[in-house]
Amino acid sequence: ATEDEFIGLTPQDFFAHDLETGRQLWREMFDKGRLHVETLERKLDGTSMWIEGDYSCLYNSDGEIIGHFGIQRDISDRKKSEIALSASEQRYASLAEAVPVGIFRTDTEGHCLYVNERWCEITGLTFAEAQQDGWAQTLHPDDRERVFAEWYDCAQHNLPFQSEYRFQKSNGDITWVVGQADAERGIDGELLG
């Protein structure tokens, strides 16, 4: 919009596509005196755009609202990226739960950040137990030191890890597995997990 097209528009004009949300946001700003919000709005040509806005009410000497001041940023590209990332994460989670193999993810200290249901079945642990380092204790005592040494060596040399070892469940049952893992690194090459 040009400045001339913009001047004189009302909140009803800006939220014509969703008047109820517009009313709620204005009420919140009037009640609190300020507002930080991300909203899906429309350009004058009808196309949608995401706006991040910070607004403050302006008051007269009697404390009455006489206007407001606002700063807005077009965050459409960021929101599109967030939506795409969320969809990708949902697809990954669905896939990870559907495959017949155990999947895990740890930080650099070995704390579990993620395990799928099949991994829990293999180890006999819940996710909460895995987060508390219970998974390391389920490695068979005869394999534990070797497996950690191999994992560490592979991570330090940026090599894929693959080894056969055993998990020993709390009831004594032993499960042989072929474990495979790759180091997760940040953009700068720092080991993340």
Side-chain angles (χ1 to χ4, degrees):
T2 64
E3 184 176 345
D4 288 340
E5 291 172 315
F6 194 79
I7 298 299
L9 294 177
T10 67
Q12 187 167 339
D13 296 320
F14 295 123
F15 284 98
H17 64 285
D18 189 357
L19 287 175
E20 186 55 36
T21 296
R23 286 187 188 102
Q24 289 172 358
L25 293 172
W26 280 84
R27 175 56 51 204
E28 185 178 346
M29 182 178 67
F30 291 154
D31 290 345
K32 294 180 179 178
R34 60 185 17 196
L35 180 66
H36 174 84
V37 67
E38 294 179 3
T39 54
L40 181 60
E41 298 187 21
R42 299 282 187 272
K43 296 181 181 182
L44 290 186
D45 67 6
T47 59
S48 62
M49 67 176 175
W50 280 94
I51 294 293
E52 177 181 51
D54 288 289
Y55 310 96
S56 296
C57 290
L58 303 174
Y59 302 91
N60 65 17
S61 58
D62 294 327
E64 299 169 327
I65 296 173
I66 57 171
H68 78 282
F69 177 79
I71 297 173
Q72 296 179 319
R73 290 166 289 285
D74 182 343
I75 58 168
S76 299
D77 290 340
R78 186 186 86 199
K79 290 300 274 189
K80 287 176 188 172
S81 295
E82 289 173 358
I83 291 167
L85 177 60
S86 177
S88 176
E89 289 172 345
Q90 289 175 357
R91 284 190 302 273
Y92 171 78
S94 295
L95 176 65
E97 289 304 322
V99 295
V101 296
I103 298 176
F104 67 96
R105 183 171 173 250
T106 68
D107 64 15
T108 56
E109 302 298 316
H111 302 108
C112 277
L113 303 173
Y114 172 81
V115 296
N116 70 349
E117 193 60 39
R118 179 67 180 128
W119 188 91
C120 291
E121 293 169 10
I122 292 169
T123 62
L125 298 173
T126 65
F127 178 56
E129 291 167 333
Q131 283 182 303
Q132 298 169 8
D133 296 337
W135 76 272
Q137 301 308 312
T138 62
L139 284 172
H140 192 281
D142 294 343
D143 298 341
R144 195 174 296 143
E145 189 175 313
R146 172 185 59 83
V147 169
F148 282 128
E150 289 174 2
W151 279 353
Y152 181 78
D153 186 56
C154 287
Q156 293 305 309
H157 295 95
N158 207 28
L159 298 171
F161 165 84
Q162 181 169 332
S163 183
E164 290 185 9
Y165 51 92
R166 295 165 284 183
F167 281 113
Q168 185 170 4
K169 296 180 182 180
S170 60
N171 66 5
D173 289 349
I174 293 175
T175 304
W176 278 94
V177 297
V178 174
Q180 297 175 308
D182 286 303
E184 182 181 1
R185 297 189 179 278
I187 295 172
D188 60 357
E190 175 188 7
L191 184 62
L192 301 177

